[in-house]
Amino acid sequence: MSRIGRKPITIPDGVEVKIDDKNYAQVKGPKGSLNFQLSTEMDIKIEDSVIIVNRPSDSKKHKSLHGLTRTLIANMIEGVLNGYSKTLEIEGTGYRAQKQGKKLSLNLGFSHPVEIEDPEGIETEVPQPNRIIVKGIDKQRVGNYAANIRFLRAPEPYKGKGIRYSGEVVRRKVGKTGK
């Protein structure tokens, strides 16, 4: 049995979970609601505010879907209860971020500022000119949007300039050496 897949998921107070017979999950909580079509091969039961995920056989496909299905449900519950956030740090001379309504304006050393509009359900904050916080209830969309922002100017290995995740370590290379 999968160690992750066999863990029961407790449904906290204030969160409502509905899973129909075709494994379409609907989770509602204080921060919003999420919907997701889970694999129809897994057996999902809700008993006394506890969700249990079982697999029909020990085939490799069912083993991998077992832990995945349980984690997706747990992430949906966590998202509508507390939400998710990713912090990005900008490093480099003249590199900075500004928030203008629903747009994020980034000066990243290009000849023009890069403007990105926040997708629906995701919110960005700029508490300092060199820090961006991406918040939302869907873990996958928050991570994807943070990765798209980082992709605009990934940290380079010589001076370390660019956008990086908070706590990310950039491996530095030695530059040219003079004679």
Side-chain angles (χ1 to χ4, degrees):
M1 287 290 279
S2 165
R3 278 190 229 153
I4 294 172
R6 69 176 168 210
K7 278 186 186 175
I9 306 166
T10 56
I11 302 172
D13 294 337
V15 177
E16 183 182 322
V17 179
K18 291 180 185 174
I19 299 175
D20 65 6
D21 56 342
K22 293 187 174 133
N23 286 357
Y24 185 74
Q26 296 175 318
V27 181
K28 291 181 184 172
K31 292 212 176 238
S33 64
L34 291 172
N35 303 319
F36 194 76
Q37 176 63 53
L38 299 165
S39 174
T40 56
E41 297 180 31
M42 292 292 112
D43 180 34
I44 304 169
K45 295 177 186 162
I46 301 175
E47 300 170 351
D48 301 330
S49 74
V50 173
I51 301 172
I52 299 169
V53 180
N54 293 315
R55 62 177 183 238
S57 71
D58 284 338
S59 70
K60 187 172 183 175
K61 181 180 178 185
H62 288 154
K63 283 182 179 181
S64 57
L65 282 174
H66 191 200
L68 173 71
T69 304
R70 188 247 178 232
T71 304
L72 288 173
I73 296 169
N75 286 346
M76 289 169 70
I77 291 172
E78 178 70 23
V80 298
L81 192 64
N82 300 321
Y84 289 101
S85 69
K86 287 255 187 197
T87 305
L88 298 165
E89 295 173 349
I90 303 173
E91 193 168 310
T93 307
Y95 290 15
R96 63 181 175 275
Q98 292 176 318
K99 184 77 170 160
Q100 299 168 343
K102 286 199 72 154
K103 285 190 176 183
L104 184 66
S105 178
L106 302 164
N107 291 342
L108 299 172
F110 299 120
S111 61
H112 60 285
V114 179
E115 291 188 349
I116 311 170
E117 192 163 336
D118 293 346
E120 190 176 323
I122 294 180
E123 179 183 319
T124 55
E125 292 178 5
V126 183
Q128 299 169 350
N130 65 343
R131 179 160 295 188
I132 303 167
I133 300 173
V134 181
K135 293 182 178 181
I137 61 172
D138 190 346
K139 186 175 187 177
Q140 181 178 352
R141 292 183 64 211
V142 168
N144 190 23
Y145 187 55
N148 288 343
I149 293 172
R150 183 184 179 276
F151 179 73
L152 294 172
R153 183 68 96 176
E156 53 97 11
Y158 295 102
K159 291 186 179 178
K161 293 165 54 170
I163 302 174
R164 64 180 76 185
Y165 296 113
S166 180
E168 179 182 2
V169 177
V170 177
R171 292 187 62 198
R172 303 290 292 270
K173 291 183 177 179
V174 179
K176 294 180 187 176
T177 56
K179 287 191 175 182

